[in-house]
């Protein structure tokens, strides 16, 4: 393992060297060989290469499929949590936030009446039943939720104690319910996304709520989807109306948004007013040609599914050997929406992706399917030249600022 396994001086030095070596290599290559992509400045190169080093080298990706059952994924979960991606503190000039606790009460633990999803449906119902039992015995499970508002929104001069609460500020208040990305494994407490939330709050004029769902590999699928569904039910119980909620998410969070929309549709629940997907991870099998074509540009590593530390393997069923049976399970639309044979009934949807990202072809295929199944032109695809996966994290880049502005316009358009 290349990063610290203990939070001591030696471990911290180990992490500093891990990052510093990547920065030094980037500086040398940038000034000796020139930029890899001329549209990227030095800052963009440094951050992209640090992310690439983190995802490619922080775990030993040379292990065989047969070793999966022998790996201590509880230890790996602690290791990932200890070495989470660096967080940029949210400056008061940009936005402010408050973290709340969401208790899962028995009333919200509804049965997932979606038997056509097979094993995924069974797992969801097992989780719902367990949460219901915990609530009924006086030990409800809970997750936290970030509430954030931009200082450049209409709420800037309001009392923070009021604005940062979980209830609606007026009966028809609209909010963005955002599911953060991070391959279902990183992004603890949504801290990696605070600036993304602030920009979206700024351009939409809305408050952003982000539930902190359980992370893999400690909690496998469909823990994340169940937590997001329960967070949505909680927001409704606080007085928000479905038509006043915009679902949004990036990468894994984008897949969670689509999974939520499918569940709500199939359970005959009212859907949110709109959805925003940024580089959604809609194919957990990673089957598109762009996983090969864009390897040189993206910060994500293109790993084989036989790798026990592949993000798909860790989030779906860590420690289980990859097999044809698992591949078939991964094609469930709640896991990989691109394999859905019925994507009808989607609300207006904005999808943004980078031209240079590994997921490019998977996203394009998904959008084509949604357009085919929804004849009302409900989906809009925006492709940003030279950009990698979830490029809005590079919020200093012009493309990211254009994307945020587009999100604001889209949300206002579908008021």
């Amino acid at each position: 393992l290349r990063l610290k396994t203990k939070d001591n001086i030696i471990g911290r030095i180990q992490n500093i060297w891990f990052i510093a070596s990547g920065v030094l290599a980037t500086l040398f290559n940038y000034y000796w060989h020139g930029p890899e992509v001329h549209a990227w400045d030095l800052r963009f190169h440094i951050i992209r290469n640090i992310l690439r080093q983190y995802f490619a080298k922080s775990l030993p990706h040379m292990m065989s499929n047969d070793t999966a059952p022998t790996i201590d994924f509880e230890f790996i979960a602690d290791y990932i949590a200890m070495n989470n991606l660096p967080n940029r503190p949210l400056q008061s000039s940009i936005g402010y936030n408050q973290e709340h606790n969401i208790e899962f009460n028995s009333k919200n633990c509804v049965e997932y009446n979606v038997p056509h999803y097979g094993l995924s449906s069974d797992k969801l119902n097992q989780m719902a039943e367990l949460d219901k039992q915990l609530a009924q015995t006086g030990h409800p499970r809970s997750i936290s939720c970030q509430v954030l508002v931009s200082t450049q929104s209409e709420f800037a001069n309001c009392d923070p104690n009021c604005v940062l609460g979980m209830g609606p500020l007026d009966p028809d208040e609209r909010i963005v319910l955002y599911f953060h990305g991070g391959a279902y494994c990183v992004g603890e407490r949504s801290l990696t996304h605070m600036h993304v939330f602030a920009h979206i709050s700024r351009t939409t004029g809305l408050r952003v709520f982000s539930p902190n769902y359980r992370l893999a590999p400690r909690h496998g699928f469909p823990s994340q989807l169940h937590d997001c569904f329960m967070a949505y039910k909680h927001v409704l119980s606080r007085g928000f109306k479905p038509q006043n909620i915009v679902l949004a998410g990036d990468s894994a969070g984008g897949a969670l948004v689509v999974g939520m929309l499918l569940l709500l549709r199939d359970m005959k629940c009212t859907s949110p007013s709109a959805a925003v997907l940024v580089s959604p991870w809609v194919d957990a099998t990673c089957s598109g040609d762009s996983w090969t074509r864009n390897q040189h540009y993206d910060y994500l590593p293109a790993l084989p599914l036989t790798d026990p530390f592949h993000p798909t393997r860790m989030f779906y069923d860590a420690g289980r050997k990859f097999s044809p049976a698992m591949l078939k399970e991964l094609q469930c639309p709640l896991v990989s929406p691109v394999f859905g044979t019925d994507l009808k009934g989607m609300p207006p949807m904005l999808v943004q992706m980078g031209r240079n990202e590994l997921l490019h072809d998977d996203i394009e295929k998904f959008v084509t399917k949604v357009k085919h199944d929804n004849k009302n032109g409900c989906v809009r695809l925006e492709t940003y030249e030279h950009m990698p996966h979830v490029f809005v994290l590079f919020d200093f880049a012009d493309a990211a600022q254009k994307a945020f502005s587009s999100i604001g316009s889209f949300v206002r358009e579908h008021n």
Side-chain angles (χ1 to χ4, degrees), residues 154 163 346 354:
E154 62 181 273
V163 171
M346 294 293 103

Side-chain angles (χ1 to χ4, degrees), residues 95-394:
Y96 42 95
N97 71 290
Q98 186 170 326
E99 195 167 352
H100 296 267
N101 203 45
I102 296 177
E103 279 195 357
F104 293 173
N105 61 50
S106 58
K107 182 180 178 181
N108 287 338
C109 297
V110 299
E111 178 185 358
Y112 291 98
N113 188 21
V114 286
H116 48 287
Y117 292 124
L119 182 60
S120 296
S121 173
D122 295 340
K123 290 181 177 180
L124 282 167
N125 279 310
Q126 290 169 7
M127 291 181 178
E129 182 60 29
L130 178 59
D131 278 341
K132 188 174 183 177
Q133 292 176 5
L134 289 172
Q136 289 174 340
T137 56
H139 302 90
R141 191 170 64 84
S142 64
I143 61 172
S144 63
C145 180
Q146 300 284 358
V147 177
L148 183 143
V149 65
S150 167
T151 53
Q152 298 180 46
S153 69
E154 62 181 273
F155 304 110
N157 298 321
C158 299
D159 179 5
N161 293 324
C162 175
V163 171
L164 295 177
M166 284 287 290
L169 303 179
D170 65 67
D172 291 312
E173 184 195 2
R174 302 181 76 211
I175 61 167
V176 176
L177 184 61
Y178 195 106
F179 305 145
H180 71 79
Y184 302 101
C185 296
V186 297
E188 189 171 7
R189 296 175 53 220
S190 304
L191 297 178
T192 52
H193 283 64
M194 288 299 181
H195 285 256
V196 172
F197 301 159
H199 287 298
I200 290 176
S201 176
R202 171 178 58 82
T203 60
T204 62
L206 307 180
R207 294 192 294 160
V208 176
F209 289 44
S210 182
N212 303 313
Y213 54 80
R214 289 171 291 176
L215 296 176
R218 180 170 284 116
H219 303 284
F221 174 84
S223 301
Q224 300 78 19
L225 182 57
H226 173 61
D227 286 358
C228 290
F229 188 89
M230 292 296 289
Y232 178 75
K233 295 284 288 184
H234 179 84
V235 167
L236 294 181
S237 72
R238 295 299 298 261
F240 289 98
K241 302 171 184 175
Q243 62 267 28
N244 291 331
I245 297 174
V246 176
L247 285 187
D250 64 89
S251 193
L256 289 171
V257 169
V258 182
M260 278 277 298
L261 293 173
L262 292 174
L263 287 175
L264 292 170
R265 181 200 66 184
D266 294 349
M267 295 169 68
K268 304 296 189 289
C269 300
T270 305
S271 290
S273 64
V276 176
L277 313 178
V278 180
S279 298
W281 188 16
V282 289
D283 181 1
T285 72
C286 310
S287 62
D289 290 342
S290 53
W291 282 88
T292 301
R293 186 178 68 250
N294 287 340
Q295 280 189 64
H296 179 69
Y297 301 105
D298 209 346
Y299 56 81
L300 294 178
L303 305 169
L305 282 171
T306 52
D307 178 358
F309 292 110
H310 192 293
T312 294
R313 299 276 301 280
M314 289 203 294
F315 102 81
Y316 186 74
D317 198 349
R320 176 182 165 192
K321 290 172 64 173
F322 182 70
S323 65
M326 180 185 283
L327 181 62
K328 186 174 182 180
E329 292 170 26
L330 293 173
Q331 293 173 357
C332 170
L334 297 183
V335 184
S336 300
V338 74
F339 291 104
T341 57
D342 178 9
L343 296 174
K344 297 184 183 72
M346 294 293 103
M349 184 181 292
L350 172 64
V351 182
Q352 299 176 328
M353 68 174 178
R355 179 76 68 190
N356 288 358
E357 69 170 286
L358 294 185
L359 283 67
H360 177 280
D361 290 5
D362 300 333
I363 296 169
E364 199 169 54
K365 183 178 178 182
F366 167 75
V367 169
T368 300
K369 281 194 167 188
V370 175
K371 285 182 176 179
H372 177 270
D373 288 353
N374 297 268
K375 304 301 184 182
N376 56 355
C378 77
V379 62
R380 179 193 306 170
L381 175 63
E382 296 178 349
T383 304
Y384 290 79
E385 296 297 328
H386 311 298
M387 290 295 106
H389 185 60
V390 194
F391 61 94
V392 294
L393 291 171
F394 301 76

Side-chain angles (χ1 to χ4, degrees), residues 58-75:
S58 59
L59 289 168
H61 290 292
M62 74 294 294
M63 300 182 71
S64 70
N65 187 33
D66 291 337
T67 63
T70 68
I71 298 171
D72 183 356
F73 278 99
E74 285 291 326
F75 172 80

